[in-house]
Amino acid sequence: MKKLILLFFVFFSATIFAQDTEYSIVVKDIETQLPIENATVVIMKTKQILISNQEGKVTFVVNGASNVQVSETNYENLTVRWAALKENEFVVYLKNKNNKLDEIVVSTEVPQKILQKIVSNSMKNLAMPYRLKVYVREFFMLDNKYSYYNDGLVNFQFAVNQKKVSTTLLVEQNRSYGLLEKDVSSDLKGYNLNDIMENYTNLKYFEPLLDPKAKKEYDFIIRGHATNKDYYVMTITPLNKSKKAVDNFEIIYDPEKKLIFEFSINVLPGTIAESIDKTAVGAKNITRSVVKVNYRLDGLDYYVLSSNEEIAYDLILKDQVKNIQVRNNFITTNFSKQKFTYNDSDVFKDKTLFNKQNKILTNYWNISGFTATEEEKSLINALEFKM
């Protein structure tokens, strides 16, 4: 009996000490002492990837010890040893590279040809079988009021066919709630999750720029990155700003590796104002369009790290105009070359999590590391009573 009691005590103690512990890290600029938003924090033991929020903070759960890697484009990378992470909300300080290298780059090669090479090489490196665990979040606004919200923890399995990437989507957990008493289901719009991820991987956004005619329609300028000597910045702007609503591009890339690490696309305000001329019933007049995507290179592994995509438009109806706004965010929390094991019935074949029944097993959103504005935080926190 004494031996059994002793064995039970040892097992019970081991179980307690093996439990996961929650930690948090705040990333700050060592000179200004200000928090650094969108810093990438990697927990080396679990390979979990987190992005710091507006307060520079990430929260994670880990069993045992793990070193932590912290990086951001404008700062020097830092690896923090686990022995130093003793306190909750431990502060990590990054040193600004402060290189000031934003002068125009003179090249004998035509910028459009350079773009073709970096897009082609980036697509080649992205086209490999792998799996991403992604936290996805989406807001829907109707007539400038937050009306619906969803988020989830999903898995994308990437496959390659004739150099094009396709994805299979499985949903681990999700929640979807209306934010108003009014039913907005008839107006509800959301991004197609498979389409949007495949576009990020196949770099579909750059197709108009790769057309030979584009060099007559756009101005291509290459500069050194303001703080990172390893990167160049290519800005692409339309030459004829009054023609139609066209996009303004900024691409951050490594000229040696010929890989894209970030790109953003914005519809220019001037072209938006001049393009709002559709009055037919059912017409959609775009008032805002933003795409921003970040990529990560870890050894030989190159993949989508995070994204923010927004669209706003006025929908012309017979007796009114409705303003529709949709904001979608992705963040990769884990990369793996291991394939899924799943049944066809497990595959999520719908377009958006708006349409999926809620499945909540853990507070997965608390450790997503996602940036939220104060307004968004209050909206999300108000959902707690529904769960």
Side-chain angles (χ1 to χ4, degrees), residues 124-132 156-161 164-166 201 301-303 335-340:
K124 178 182 176 182
N125 281 271
L126 287 166
M128 58 178 174
Y130 58 96
R131 184 180 75 196
L132 293 185
F156 288 94
Q157 177 67 56
F158 292 75
V160 182
N161 184 19
K164 290 289 185 180
V165 173
S166 62
T201 311
D301 300 327
Y302 177 61
Y303 52 88
F335 170 93
S336 174
K337 290 184 178 178
Q338 183 179 357
K339 291 185 177 180
F340 289 128

Side-chain angles (χ1 to χ4, degrees), residues 62 77 109 112 176 193 217-218 292 318 351 363 383:
V62 68
N77 296 345
E109 192 169 15
Q112 191 190 38
S176 184
L193 298 183
E217 298 176 358
Y218 291 89
K292 184 176 181 180
K318 186 176 181 180
K351 293 182 179 180
N363 292 353
L383 296 174

Side-chain angles (χ1 to χ4, degrees), residues 11 13 19 301:
F11 176 78
S13 300
Q19 290 178 342
D301 300 327

Side-chain angles (χ1 to χ4, degrees), residues 7-22:
L7 182 61
F8 174 79
F9 178 76
V10 171
F11 176 78
F12 181 74
S13 300
T15 302
I16 292 175
F17 287 113
Q19 290 178 342
D20 290 343
T21 304
E22 183 176 292

Side-chain angles (χ1 to χ4, degrees), residues 299-327:
L300 298 176
D301 300 327
Y302 177 61
Y303 52 88
V304 177
L305 174 62
S306 63
S307 72
N308 172 42
E309 189 150 350
E310 303 177 34
I311 189 167
Y313 59 89
D314 289 329
L315 177 62
I316 309 299
L317 302 178
K318 186 176 181 180
D319 55 351
Q320 67 177 128
V321 177
K322 287 186 176 180
N323 180 256
I324 305 293
Q325 298 179 51
V326 187
R327 183 186 312 148

Side-chain angles (χ1 to χ4, degrees), residues 170-386:
L170 281 79
V171 180
E172 282 190 16
Q173 301 186 62
N174 70 287
R175 56 181 180 168
S176 184
Y177 295 111
L179 301 174
L180 301 174
E181 293 184 5
K182 176 183 176 182
D183 182 12
V184 297
S185 56
S186 60
D187 295 303
L188 204 58
K189 307 291 182 183
Y191 284 93
N192 185 315
L193 298 183
N194 274 309
D195 283 355
I196 195 172
M197 182 58 85
E198 289 173 9
N199 288 344
Y200 296 154
T201 311
N202 292 319
L203 298 177
K204 188 175 181 179
Y205 298 91
F206 296 107
E207 288 180 359
L209 302 176
L210 301 179
D211 189 310
K213 297 178 182 177
K215 61 184 178 182
K216 296 181 180 180
E217 298 176 358
Y218 291 89
D219 184 26
F220 294 76
I221 297 177
I222 300 175
R223 288 184 169 88
H225 193 280
T227 59
N228 192 326
K229 62 181 177 60
D230 297 324
Y231 291 165
Y232 284 172
V233 180
M234 182 182 293
T235 56
I236 305 168
T237 55
L239 292 171
N240 186 354
K241 295 180 174 59
S242 63
K243 184 178 181 182
K244 58 182 179 178
V246 287
D247 297 327
N248 182 49
F249 294 78
E250 182 177 270
I251 305 161
I252 298 175
Y253 67 99
D254 185 321
E256 296 297 325
K257 295 184 174 67
K258 291 183 172 55
L259 291 176
I260 297 171
F261 284 89
E262 179 184 315
F263 75 83
S264 59
I265 309 171
N266 294 277
V267 174
L268 298 176
T271 60
I272 289 177
E274 292 162 2
S275 68
I276 298 179
D277 55 4
K278 298 178 182 177
T279 58
V281 173
K284 296 179 180 179
N285 293 315
I286 296 176
T287 57
R288 176 174 171 79
S289 178
V290 176
V291 179
K292 184 176 181 180
V293 186
N294 292 85
Y295 297 86
R296 174 174 168 80
L297 179 65
D298 183 12
L300 298 176
D301 300 327
Y302 177 61
Y303 52 88
V304 177
L305 174 62
S306 63
S307 72
N308 172 42
E309 189 150 350
E310 303 177 34
I311 189 167
Y313 59 89
D314 289 329
L315 177 62
I316 309 299
L317 302 178
K318 186 176 181 180
D319 55 351
Q320 67 177 128
V321 177
K322 287 186 176 180
N323 180 256
I324 305 293
Q325 298 179 51
V326 187
R327 183 186 312 148
N328 179 285
N329 299 100
F330 281 179
I331 176 174
T332 295
T333 64
N334 195 271
F335 170 93
S336 174
K337 290 184 178 178
Q338 183 179 357
K339 291 185 177 180
F340 289 128
T341 300
Y342 60 89
N343 298 318
D344 186 63
S345 59
D346 297 327
V347 178
F348 182 66
K349 299 177 181 179
D350 212 329
K351 293 182 179 180
T352 170
L353 293 182
F354 285 140
N355 302 322
K356 183 168 176 58
Q357 184 177 357
N358 290 354
K359 180 182 179 182
I360 303 172
L361 305 176
T362 64
N363 292 353
Y364 59 88
W365 52 88
N366 285 341
I367 57 172
S368 68
F370 225 106
T371 300
T373 64
E374 291 302 320
E375 184 179 24
E376 291 171 348
K377 286 177 183 177
S378 64
L379 288 168
I380 296 168
N381 292 338
L383 296 174
E384 294 292 336
F385 79 96
K386 294 189 175 186

